[in-house]
Amino acid sequence: MAALTTVLLAGCALTPPGAPQPALAQLPDIDSQVQRLTFVTGERQQVLLGVLRHQDQTLRLALLSPQGQRLLTLVQDDQGTRFLPDANIEPPFSADWLASRLSWSLWPAQALRQAFAGSDWRLADSSAERRIYRGPVLVARLSGDRDCRIIHDLESDYRLYIATLDDNARATDTCPTP
């Protein structure tokens, strides 16, 4: 499982780091939320589970195998962004890179604009989608709603489908993938 996850996510490592992060205080608290994360790269798909929580100025994302084995935990707090040392995989991307992709999806648009101010990064958004640019280059498109968010990272050549799972949603597919 770990080797397969590393291979499928290897494209993520190609993205240069450096997107400014919004302040944690600008993200509303999030009770523990279980999500199905479907990574699509080329012809391959990898499904993981994610448990996301933001409380007391700490954001945590635990990535789990479909069987429930914890693979990796991302922590972002006043000490910075990092992976906890007891990971079961060596990710092909940095903690900062993963945190930036989370911020594009979770934070309010105004918080992203403030974080990007004075940098090469820019947010363009509409009611249908968010577009993230570095200079003139379109880096990512984000669309969807609370039940199904899609991050299309053009630089890393993958799509991530994020389906919120709750007791009602477990029975139905709230975020169909291709």
Side-chain angles (χ1 to χ4, degrees):
M1 172 59 78
L4 181 59
T5 300
T6 300
V7 168
L8 290 176
L9 299 179
C12 303
L14 302 176
T15 301
Q21 293 289 316
L24 280 168
Q26 294 176 300
L27 179 65
D29 282 353
I30 300 170
D31 289 331
S32 290
Q33 186 180 89
V34 179
Q35 303 169 330
R36 184 183 67 242
L37 309 172
T38 304
F39 292 89
V40 179
T41 56
E43 298 295 318
R44 298 181 186 208
Q45 286 190 18
Q46 173 67 47
V47 176
L48 298 174
L49 297 176
V51 180
L52 179 71
R53 183 179 184 170
H54 176 246
Q55 287 187 324
D56 302 325
Q57 299 300 309
T58 300
L59 178 69
R60 288 182 180 266
L61 173 65
L63 294 178
L64 310 157
S65 72
Q67 296 78 24
Q69 177 189 16
R70 188 171 56 82
L71 303 172
L72 181 71
T73 302
L74 172 79
V75 175
Q76 186 176 2
D77 57 20
D78 61 358
Q79 297 175 18
T81 303
R82 64 202 173 279
F83 293 122
L84 293 183
D86 58 351
N88 288 314
I89 64 169
E90 182 66 35
F93 45 82
S94 71
D96 287 330
W97 182 90
L98 181 57
S100 73
R101 273 46 186 181
L102 276 175
S103 73
W104 298 349
S105 176
L106 295 174
W107 266 259
Q110 186 56 34
L112 290 173
R113 283 190 187 90
Q114 288 175 356
F116 291 169
S119 76
D120 286 341
W121 294 84
R122 175 173 58 93
L123 167 69
D125 65 332
S126 67
S127 60
E129 73 176 1
R130 287 182 172 183
R131 293 173 310 284
I132 306 295
Y133 293 87
R134 184 186 323 98
V137 177
L138 178 61
V139 174
R141 287 193 311 259
L142 295 86
S143 60
D145 57 27
R146 178 185 124 18
D147 293 326
C148 177
R149 289 175 284 145
I150 302 166
I151 300 174
H152 184 188
D153 192 314
L154 301 164
E155 280 191 332
S156 298
D157 194 27
Y158 78 91
R159 284 194 172 124
L160 171 59
Y161 296 80
I162 305 168
T164 300
L165 301 178
D166 60 27
D167 291 337
N168 297 325
R170 290 180 199 269
T172 61
D173 191 354
T174 61
C175 197
T177 56

